[in-house]
Amino acid sequence: MPRGTDYVRDADRALEETYEEPMSLAAYVDRIFENPSIASHASKYLLEAIEAAGTRTVVEEGEEKERYRFFDDPHNDGEHAILGNTEVLNGFVDDLRSIAAGRAKDEKIIWFEGPTATGKSELKRCLVNGLREYSKTPDGRRYTVEWNVTTADAGERGLSYGGDATAADEQNWYESPVQAHPLSVFPEDVRADVLAQLNDELDDHVPVQVDAQLDPFSREAYDYLEERYRREGEDELFSAITDEDHLRVKNYVVDVGQGVGVLHSEDDGRPKERLVGSWMHGMLQELDSRGRKNPQAFSYDGVLSQGNGVLTIVEDAAQHADLLQKLLNVPDEQSVKLDKGIGMDVDSQLLIISNPDLEAQLNQHADRNGMDPLKALKRRLDKHRFGYLTNLSLETELIRRELTGETAVWEADSYDELADRIREPVRVTVKDRDGETRVQEFAPHAIEAAALYAVVTRLDEETLPNGLDLVDKALIYDQGYLQEGDSRREKAEFDFDDDGTDGDHGVPVTYTRDTLAELLQTDRDRHHADLPVEDVVMPRDVLNAMVEGLADAPVFSSGERSEFENRVVPVKNYVYDQQESDVIEAIMHDKRVDEETVAEYVEHVYAWETDEPLYNDRGERVEPDPLKMKLFEVEHLGRFSEAEYEGNLPRESVRNFRREKVITSLNRHAWEHRDADFAVEDVDLTAIPVIKTVLESHDWDDVERTFEDFDPRQWDDPPSGTETAAVKDDTIDTLVTLFGYSEASAELTSRHVMGQVSYRWD
């Protein structure tokens, strides 16, 4: 069978799951008592869509936060995920919950403000994507009404834009152009009874509220049917009007233009046109208006009309500042006029998005104090400010998205997993001017270098605690702690000023992206013609290009250029330390202390301090071995010399080390697992910082002690048969197979590191 047939069949199934057959009004009422969420008003519906996606735990600015997965754009594989700004988004959801419950802020217009390239445009796309997909689920179904007032009497006026009509034709059904809520068909007192009973049965702190009357288009149909059946003497007038031949409830998929209204920066027209639409004068002549304007002849293409029922977004609001004052009474009065005599109720969550230039416009009369003409507007705006990312992992993820089109949102069970993602190389296929393609590599730590530098430019230097630099602050914000040798200090131990300007300004991701893209397209000799591959961009290439480009970038002021240039040095030092660590670990990879030896040392120290029994393989009790502990501490830890022991017995400095670094960590682990039977052998040795160091890191002293004839000055071209040549071959191979380097980036990185080490080797 042709593959096209399979795809068409899959599409059929997808649409079958999305759409339902139209139902009667009575059937709809029965349905909402089975599933009340489908009757939710706009703010409640938006809140439910966000909450339905669940939450996950993240670390931002060094603190754990619960993040709504909705903002990861899960329905769209993360393509328009909003990275970071979790606290801001949580504040938005909290306000939305208050608005939905009618407790407060129901007169507010939600305002997202922030500098360029902070994720505000992604917010719009994420909201549209999330609402669209939620409306396809059983709990998220959205419903409106459609009308058919055709009649066999050709002389009667029908709800059609000219021409004859028959009741049986599907083409004669006209959907409410503003997604009118089905309950709005009921008389007000009956609707109140329905909602009262529904909310009594609803186990939710946010009751369903439907205050809107029928929209003018639907009211025209309702009035026509009411007049017709009243003339005929119909006893059950409402039943006749809402008979299935005239009224159906149908579900629709929420999207831009149907439940979501988006006013773009380039949209123009008079305020009324942008808000609700315009009269179609040609249609006024065709439709029998009986001396008045007929709402059937209205376009309903304004942003409030399209967004009625769910969400109204004004994008780049500074371009529509004149419109904002027209929106003043919409949130609290929930109505807008098509014309002087024709009004329309609106149920839509209002949201505006802007750069900081809108705030400048709003404050132009601030010096007038109580006479500020914009004061009423500013009072109704509920501002949520997006800032630049201040997390290294998030900025790295964002840069990779910009360069490669990756969309999956990074999630990790531990920071070690994120650290591996941060340092990873990135390989991009580029096309030369002659049409040839090549794979160009950003070496390990290159994207990390760009991300760290961008974050460092965004941090407030004035709020630095004593003893920290901006790189330290960036690491604390990303990890939640700072590892200093054997000591781990949590963010709470540092005195950070929460009123600082972190994320208010700095290098935007667009600048970083453009700089890296230019590096990809630059024909280059990558420092050494003898390398197997020349197309490697090193971390220092990235940092140099980012600093050099500041001078020509119009987005930065002269003060910012000077400030940002001065912040690159600690970033270069940190990135070099990461490269150096990779090279040392690759050299020492096969010389690591095995976990059995480490575990034996920990057991002996624990028994030495606590008098806990220690047993050999035959089950016989043995005493802690002073010699084994001493050899481990001198040879593997490298912390002590022979002078710090009397024979094999430790002096005070060694005893303090054992108690403070080993025993304290074991006791902490025992306390955390106090509900279970604690045993030293059950301890994750990497949970003890000093032991983690032994298992996972080395230094140049370890290299020199292990390879006595090693000489880093010979690294570029070591003589064959020497220990240096053997070490280099093994190191390059390890960097490639285990650390993610290419052969070229491994060569370049190791040469760079050895060039620095050579100066201090003797």
Side-chain angles (χ1 to χ4, degrees):
M1 181 181 297
R3 283 181 292 182
T5 304
D6 293 335
Y7 291 129
V8 170
R9 186 180 297 113
D10 291 342
D12 286 338
R13 281 196 292 267
L15 291 180
E16 286 173 7
E17 295 171 359
T18 300
Y19 294 101
E20 301 174 358
E21 288 295 320
M23 69 184 83
S24 67
L25 184 61
Y28 170 77
V29 173
D30 291 337
R31 182 76 62 86
I32 67 174
F33 278 98
E34 296 170 2
N35 185 3
S37 65
I38 63 175
S40 296
H41 52 286
S43 53
K44 179 176 170 65
Y45 183 80
L46 178 55
L47 176 66
E48 289 169 339
I50 293 171
E51 292 179 334
T55 62
R56 65 184 178 95
T57 303
V58 299
V59 174
E60 289 181 24
E61 294 188 347
E63 299 176 3
E64 283 195 356
K65 297 175 171 57
E66 285 300 308
R67 176 180 174 84
Y68 290 98
R69 290 182 180 271
F70 180 92
F71 300 112
D72 294 336
D73 196 17
H75 298 295
N76 204 38
D77 297 326
E79 181 177 356
H80 297 298
I82 306 161
L83 300 186
N85 285 294
T86 293
E87 192 167 344
V88 178
L89 294 169
N90 287 349
F92 161 55
V93 177
D94 291 342
D95 286 351
L96 195 60
R97 190 172 291 110
S98 296
I99 293 170
R103 290 193 299 266
K105 296 195 174 186
D106 49 350
E107 84 285 1
K108 294 288 189 178
I109 300 172
I110 293 177
W111 175 20
F112 278 94
E113 183 257 8
T116 182
T118 51
K120 301 187 302 299
S121 295
E122 297 305 301
L123 171 65
K124 178 199 70 175
R125 298 184 181 99
C126 185
L127 286 169
V128 173
N129 287 341
L131 289 168
R132 181 196 305 117
E133 297 306 318
Y134 179 64
S135 70
K136 297 177 182 178
T137 67
D139 288 338
R141 289 279 195 267
R142 210 64 179 145
Y143 295 88
T144 187
V145 294
E146 57 181 358
W147 299 87
N148 187 337
V149 296
T150 55
T151 175
D153 185 350
E156 296 283 358
R157 175 173 61 89
L159 187 68
S160 59
Y161 293 115
D164 295 329
T166 61
D169 292 338
E170 281 295 319
Q171 65 181 5
N172 296 323
W173 284 95
Y174 290 90
E175 182 179 337
S176 163
V178 293
Q179 305 80 233
H181 197 294
L183 290 183
S184 64
V185 178
F186 284 101
E188 190 171 341
D189 55 343
V190 177
R191 181 171 70 244
D193 290 342
V194 173
L195 290 173
Q197 185 175 349
L198 179 66
N199 288 321
D200 283 343
E201 298 179 13
L202 180 63
D203 184 20
D204 194 337
H205 66 286
V206 180
V208 176
Q209 303 171 40
V210 182
D211 300 323
Q213 303 299 318
L214 271 178
D215 66 278
F217 183 96
S218 298
R219 173 56 62 182
E220 189 77 9
Y222 186 100
D223 288 348
Y224 167 71
L225 292 168
E226 181 181 30
E227 181 182 354
R228 169 184 166 183
Y229 286 113
R230 184 172 50 79
R231 286 201 316 264
E232 294 177 0
E234 178 64 54
D235 292 332
E236 297 179 339
L237 190 57
F238 185 79
S239 295
I241 295 170
T242 59
D243 184 86
E244 287 185 76
D245 285 341
H246 298 307
L247 173 70
R248 300 191 307 202
V249 176
K250 62 171 292 187
N251 80 301
Y252 66 93
V253 173
V254 173
D255 209 336
V256 175
Q258 191 161 34
V260 175
V262 179
L263 189 63
H264 303 280
S265 59
E266 66 272 16
D267 292 338
D268 57 11
R270 292 178 305 220
K272 185 73 71 177
E273 293 175 357
R274 284 176 282 161
L275 279 176
V276 286
S278 60
W279 292 102
M280 300 178 289
H281 296 286
M283 295 306 303
L284 283 172
Q285 297 171 4
E286 281 202 37
L287 295 169
D288 176 15
S289 301
R290 290 178 290 184
R292 60 180 175 79
K293 288 183 178 178
N294 190 321
Q296 295 170 242
F298 197 77
S299 67
Y300 298 97
D301 58 1
V303 66
L304 287 173
S305 300
Q306 295 181 15
N308 187 47
V310 185
L311 177 66
T312 296
I313 301 173
V314 179
E315 188 181 48
D316 197 4
Q319 302 297 321
H320 299 285
D322 64 322
L323 194 68
L324 298 182
Q325 294 194 67
K326 302 292 184 182
L327 288 170
L328 276 181
N329 297 323
V330 172
D332 45 0
E333 295 182 6
Q334 294 188 321
S335 66
V336 68
K337 285 190 173 182
L338 312 184
D339 199 64
K340 291 180 181 179
I342 304 175
M344 180 176 77
D345 286 350
V346 176
D347 176 30
S348 183
Q349 181 56 55
L350 290 174
L351 187 152
I352 68 172
I353 300 172
S354 80
N355 289 329
D357 50 353
L358 175 61
E359 188 158 23
Q361 292 186 46
L362 294 175
N363 290 330
Q364 59 183 310
H365 305 296
D367 56 348
R368 298 189 187 180
N369 297 321
M371 302 300 291
D372 184 352
L374 297 176
K375 190 173 183 178
L377 172 59
K378 290 191 285 187
R379 183 180 66 81
R380 279 178 167 84
L381 293 176
D382 186 19
K383 185 167 74 169
H384 299 270
R385 191 177 192 283
F386 271 10
Y388 288 120
L389 298 177
T390 55
N391 275 56
L392 171 60
S393 55
L394 289 172
E395 186 68 14
T396 304
E397 181 180 356
L398 181 58
I399 294 172
R400 289 180 65 110
R401 283 169 165 260
E402 294 286 335
L403 285 175
T404 67
E406 297 174 2
T407 61
V409 174
W410 290 6
E411 294 189 42
D413 295 327
S414 69
Y415 188 77
D416 287 344
E417 291 181 35
L418 279 181
D420 290 340
R421 300 293 302 271
I422 291 168
R423 63 172 296 281
E424 281 179 351
V426 171
R427 296 179 176 93
V428 182
T429 301
V430 296
K431 183 177 289 188
D432 293 328
R433 295 185 184 90
D434 59 5
E436 295 294 324
T437 60
R438 70 178 189 277
V439 175
Q440 190 146 329
E441 175 189 5
F442 285 100
H445 304 294
I447 303 301
E448 176 184 15
L452 181 59
Y453 178 57
V455 168
V456 161
T457 66
R458 302 167 184 170
L459 297 179
D460 185 355
E461 198 167 24
E462 300 299 321
T463 61
L464 273 178
N466 291 333
L468 297 186
D469 63 17
L470 288 171
V471 169
D472 293 328
K473 186 175 183 179
L475 296 177
I476 293 170
Y477 273 13
D478 203 38
Q479 302 171 158
Y481 60 87
L482 186 64
Q483 190 76 38
E484 298 172 326
D486 301 334
S487 301
R488 171 167 162 164
R489 300 176 64 189
E490 304 294 331
K491 186 196 175 187
E493 300 178 39
F494 298 99
D495 184 20
F496 285 109
D497 184 358
D498 294 333
D499 296 327
T501 59
D502 295 327
D504 285 357
H505 74 294
V507 170
V509 70
T510 47
Y511 173 78
T512 305
R513 176 201 64 201
D514 294 345
T515 301
L516 299 186
E518 188 173 339
L519 282 173
L520 285 175
Q521 295 299 335
T522 302
D523 294 329
R524 66 220 300 111
D525 174 7
R526 294 271 23 100
H527 311 299
H528 296 279
D530 59 331
L531 295 181
V533 179
E534 294 181 1
D535 297 321
V536 179
V537 180
M538 298 296 291
R540 59 186 180 276
D541 298 325
V542 168
L543 293 174
N544 289 339
M546 291 184 71
V547 172
E548 290 167 4
L550 294 173
D552 298 324
V555 70
F556 304 120
S557 66
S558 58
E560 287 176 322
R561 293 185 186 105
S562 176
E563 179 185 355
F564 298 163
E565 286 172 358
N566 293 332
R567 295 191 178 191
V568 76
V569 173
V571 177
K572 285 186 174 182
N573 292 338
Y574 173 81
V575 172
Y576 170 77
D577 289 344
Q578 301 306 300
Q579 293 175 304
E580 182 182 48
S581 176
D582 283 355
V583 172
I584 293 176
E585 294 310 308
I587 292 174
M588 298 295 296
H589 180 72
D590 293 331
K591 306 297 181 181
R592 289 174 178 268
V593 182
D594 60 83
E595 288 201 27
E596 290 78 8
T597 301
V598 177
E600 183 181 41
Y601 166 73
V602 172
E603 289 175 349
H604 279 253
V605 170
Y606 192 71
W608 164 81
E609 172 65 14
T610 63
D611 293 328
E612 286 289 320
L614 186 65
Y615 298 94
N616 60 21
D617 294 340
R618 297 186 299 277
E620 301 167 343
R621 179 166 180 166
V622 296
E623 293 300 317
D625 191 330
L627 178 60
K628 284 185 177 180
M629 290 185 282
K630 171 186 173 181
L631 290 176
F632 188 91
E633 289 159 352
V634 172
E635 296 182 2
H636 297 309
L637 289 181
R639 299 291 295 263
F640 305 106
S641 65
E642 291 281 350
E644 291 173 278
Y645 299 83
E646 294 179 3
N648 293 329
L649 299 179
R651 296 185 185 275
E652 185 65 21
S653 59
V654 180
R655 293 199 297 271
N656 288 339
F657 165 80
R658 292 177 183 176
R659 293 185 179 112
E660 294 173 5
K661 301 299 184 182
V662 180
I663 299 301
T664 299
S665 294
L666 287 172
N667 287 341
R668 183 183 302 115
H669 192 280
W671 172 253
E672 292 170 352
H673 296 79
R674 58 191 178 278
D675 294 333
D677 293 332
F678 174 72
V680 176
E681 58 268 20
D682 296 330
V683 176
D684 176 9
L685 296 174
T686 60
I688 306 174
V690 68
I691 300 303
K692 179 181 175 73
T693 301
V694 175
L695 288 173
E696 299 182 0
S697 65
H698 299 86
D699 56 26
W700 290 113
D701 290 337
D702 297 323
V703 175
E704 187 175 17
R705 185 170 58 249
T706 305
F707 303 102
E708 296 180 357
D709 295 328
F710 173 72
D711 186 352
R713 290 163 295 194
Q714 299 177 342
W715 188 269
D716 284 7
D717 189 18
S720 60
T722 62
E723 187 170 45
T724 303
V727 169
K728 179 175 182 178
D729 288 344
D730 291 341
T731 300
I732 298 296
D733 183 64
T734 301
L735 287 172
V736 172
T737 57
L738 298 179
F739 287 68
Y741 284 77
S742 67
E743 190 173 348
S745 60
E747 179 70 37
L748 284 173
T749 301
S750 61
R751 287 189 184 188
H752 177 54
V753 169
M754 292 302 172
Q756 301 299 313
V757 173
S758 297
Y759 294 114
R760 61 178 190 267
W761 189 249
D762 289 338

